[in-house]
């Protein structure tokens, strides 16, 4: 008899827990955020911008050199040395661009991770099931209309650490 009572209580607790879980509201709202605006509002974004500015200062002379050599090549006035210089400059530009992209991405990663956590917290608090990037959704054609009250950009910016 005692085993039946324990079994019945266990079944009640399991089924009761399942019923309670089913009564919990499931978020169904879809919202959006201007991710670029949020990233630019982050307190550490200046570090990323500084890296991009350094990259531009380093890469601009290479781009200018390549453009001048391309003009000679197109006009048919390029010597063998010009063509070799063009290949070397193009390879240098590619390698330097990769280096600067990696540096910028390294600086950007903790920013985006922190922003993702803030977005998740706000989405849960406001009952959103999905948050889309505003620009990606619009340019991809995924979303053609979204009500303004579904945008959480300002809320995310206000919730970012100062």
């Amino acid at each position: 008899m005692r085993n039946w009572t324990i079994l019945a209580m266990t079944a009640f607790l399991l089924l009761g827990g399942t019923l309670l879980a089913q009564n919990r509201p499931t978020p169904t709202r879809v919202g959006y955020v201007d991710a670029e605006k949020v990233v630019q509002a982050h307190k550490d974004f200046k570090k990323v911008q500084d890296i991009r500015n350094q990259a531009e200062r380093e890469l601009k002379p290479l781009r200018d050199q390549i453009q001048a050599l391309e003009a000679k090549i197109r006009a048919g006035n390029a010597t063998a040395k010009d063509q070799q210089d063009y290949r070397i400059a193009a390879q240098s530009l590619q390698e330097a661009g990769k280096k600067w992209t990696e540096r910028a991405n390294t600086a950007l990663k903790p920013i985006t991770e922190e922003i993702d956590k803030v977005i998740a917290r706000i989405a849960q608090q406001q009952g959103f099931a999905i948050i889309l990037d505003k620009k990606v959704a619009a340019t991809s054609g995924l979303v053609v209309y979204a009500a303004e009250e579904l945008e959480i950009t300002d809320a995310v910016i206000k919730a970012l650490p100062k």
Side-chain angles (χ1 to χ4, degrees):
M1 182 75 160
R2 185 167 193 221
N3 289 340
W4 283 104
T5 305
I6 292 173
L7 185 60
M9 287 175 55
T10 304
F12 175 75
L13 289 174
L14 290 174
L15 290 174
T18 303
L19 293 174
L20 289 176
Q22 290 175 353
N23 291 334
R24 191 176 310 155
T26 303
T28 57
R29 296 173 64 198
V30 176
Y32 60 99
V33 65
D34 185 338
E36 184 177 334
K37 184 177 178 181
V38 174
V39 168
Q40 291 173 355
H42 193 279
K43 65 181 173 51
D44 292 334
F45 181 69
K46 185 180 179 331
K47 294 174 188 175
V48 176
Q49 197 59 45
D50 289 345
I51 291 169
R52 288 178 180 169
N53 291 338
Q54 290 173 352
E56 186 55 32
R57 284 192 299 274
E58 181 179 313
L59 299 178
K60 187 178 181 331
L62 282 171
R63 283 193 204 107
D64 292 345
Q65 179 185 8
I66 289 170
Q67 284 180 334
L69 291 168
E70 278 179 343
K72 277 183 156 181
I73 291 170
R74 275 194 227 113
N77 300 330
T79 65
K81 182 172 179 356
D82 289 336
Q83 291 177 0
Q84 181 182 3
D85 289 346
Y86 173 81
R87 286 190 296 276
I88 291 169
Q91 183 176 359
S92 295
L93 179 64
Q94 184 179 17
E95 289 170 4
K98 182 179 177 184
K99 171 188 77 172
W100 286 109
T101 298
E102 288 173 1
R103 285 185 185 175
N105 288 343
T106 299
L108 195 57
K109 185 177 180 187
I111 293 170
T112 57
E113 287 173 350
E114 186 172 43
I115 289 170
D116 288 347
K117 289 175 185 174
V118 172
I119 289 171
R121 187 177 72 242
I122 290 173
Q124 288 174 347
Q125 290 170 350
Q126 295 187 13
F128 287 99
I130 297 172
I131 299 294
L132 302 172
D133 180 297
K134 180 179 183 177
K135 290 180 181 170
V136 172
T139 57
S140 68
L142 180 65
V143 176
V144 293
Y145 170 78
E148 286 185 35
E149 62 268 11
L150 298 175
E151 182 169 1
I152 64 168
T153 302
D154 291 337
V156 172
I157 290 172
K158 287 177 188 172
L160 290 175
K162 302 301 178 215

